Amino acid sequence: MDQQSEATNIKWHHHHITKNERATQKRQRPCILWFTGLSGSGKSTIAGALEQKLFELGHHTYLLDGDNVRHGLNKDLGFSDSDRVENIRRIGEMSKLFADAGLIVLSAFISPFRSDRRMVRDLVEDGEFVEIHMSTPLSVCEQRDPKGLYKKARQGEIKNFTGIDSVYEAPESPEITLNTAECDVEACANTVIAYLKQQNIIRD
Ligand code: ADP
């Protein structure tokens, strides 16, 4: 494996237990369910409901959530374009490690740039990156405004807010599209479960 690094004299160490062995023990195939969309589009809500369903089905998951990661690993990063890129790069690498542990990873981040999502897709094997576009319209997200952030952004109190004064690049061919303005939480989560079964990531 070609791992680029700033450091010299380091190389990738192949350990005895493989990703597939770890995943098989959990009766699943590892993957990254990558939720992308505007603030308030329902990423956290749907990822949380889906994780609960997967847990009840006996699967081993881990949910990575935007705000939570910014409390710890990425607390040195802000919302400039370059910090957003680094934010997603670290999350991508972390998601890859969790997938390597055999888990079904649910990553809920606005991740507004196509090139960043492509970077994460390219980190893992074919079929392991499942892009879930939350296509809920901006008007609905802004009306919900669960954290009051759109209001602040409109008043100029928050700069670089996605959808207001920072761009959101919608996915061109996501594996799944969910519009939570038209689909309730249960139905959205079930759509993803059906996809996972169809792809043999989980079994009936
Ligand atoms: P994001 O993680 O994308 O910022 P959140 O999940 O935090 O979005 O917020 C979505 C908001 O929309 C929540 O307040 C949620 O209760 C509300 N909501 C209303 N209908 C739905 C739905 N069908 N799916 C998801 N969220 C919904």
Side-chain angles (χ1 to χ4, degrees):
M1 195 180 292
D2 184 25
Q3 299 285 322
Q4 281 192 346
S5 170
E6 299 285 323
T8 52
N9 297 321
I10 59 165
K11 65 181 180 112
W12 190 264
H13 195 112
H14 290 276
H15 292 286
H16 293 293
I17 307 295
T18 64
K19 171 168 69 176
N20 281 342
E21 285 167 329
R22 287 188 285 266
T24 303
Q25 188 187 49
K26 303 178 196 312
R27 301 178 306 102
Q28 62 194 30
R29 280 178 43 214
C31 67
I32 300 172
L33 304 175
W34 190 274
F35 292 81
T36 171
L38 297 170
S39 178
S41 60
K43 300 178 296 297
S44 296
T45 304
I46 302 302
L50 176 61
E51 185 179 39
Q52 206 170 344
K53 278 182 185 286
L54 288 169
F55 188 87
E56 281 161 12
L57 291 170
H59 291 289
H60 199 166
T61 57
Y62 197 75
L63 171 52
L64 292 166
D65 189 284
D67 280 0
N68 298 358
V69 172
R70 281 183 180 276
H71 272 108
L73 179 70
N74 290 355
K75 69 175 171 191
D76 56 324
L77 300 176
F79 290 90
S80 66
D81 282 6
S82 61
D83 277 4
R84 283 176 190 267
V85 172
E86 177 60 10
N87 184 45
I88 298 303
R89 189 194 70 78
R90 289 186 202 170
I91 290 159
E93 292 287 355
M94 191 163 54
S95 300
K96 179 182 175 175
L97 286 174
F98 280 124
D100 195 55
L103 306 189
I104 296 173
V105 186
L106 301 94
S107 301
F109 300 92
I110 298 174
S111 47
F113 304 133
R114 256 179 225 132
S115 55
D116 294 350
R117 300 191 301 262
R118 161 61 58 185
M119 172 179 70
V120 181
R121 187 184 284 274
D122 289 345
L123 280 176
V124 293
E125 291 175 43
D126 282 354
E128 282 185 4
F129 183 85
V130 178
E131 192 170 23
I132 302 174
H133 177 209
M134 308 304 295
S135 66
T136 316
L138 173 64
S139 57
V140 175
C141 298
E142 191 165 357
Q143 202 179 0
R144 288 178 180 164
D145 206 4
K147 299 172 200 153
L149 298 177
Y150 283 100
K151 189 162 176 251
K152 284 189 182 169
R154 289 285 185 201
Q155 290 168 347
E157 288 171 35
I158 305 177
K159 294 278 170 224
N160 302 319
F161 196 74
T162 304
I164 306 297
D165 58 352
S166 187
V167 69
Y168 178 76
E169 298 173 349
E172 280 163 343
S173 46
E175 277 72 13
I176 300 171
T177 300
L178 300 174
N179 177 351
T180 62
E182 292 173 354
C183 181
D184 68 21
V185 177
E186 177 79 8
C188 288
N190 283 339
T191 299
V192 183
I193 295 277
Y195 177 87
L196 297 178
K197 286 183 177 167
Q198 184 214 332
Q199 298 295 315
N200 287 322
I201 290 171
I202 62 173
R203 296 214 189 107
D204 268 323

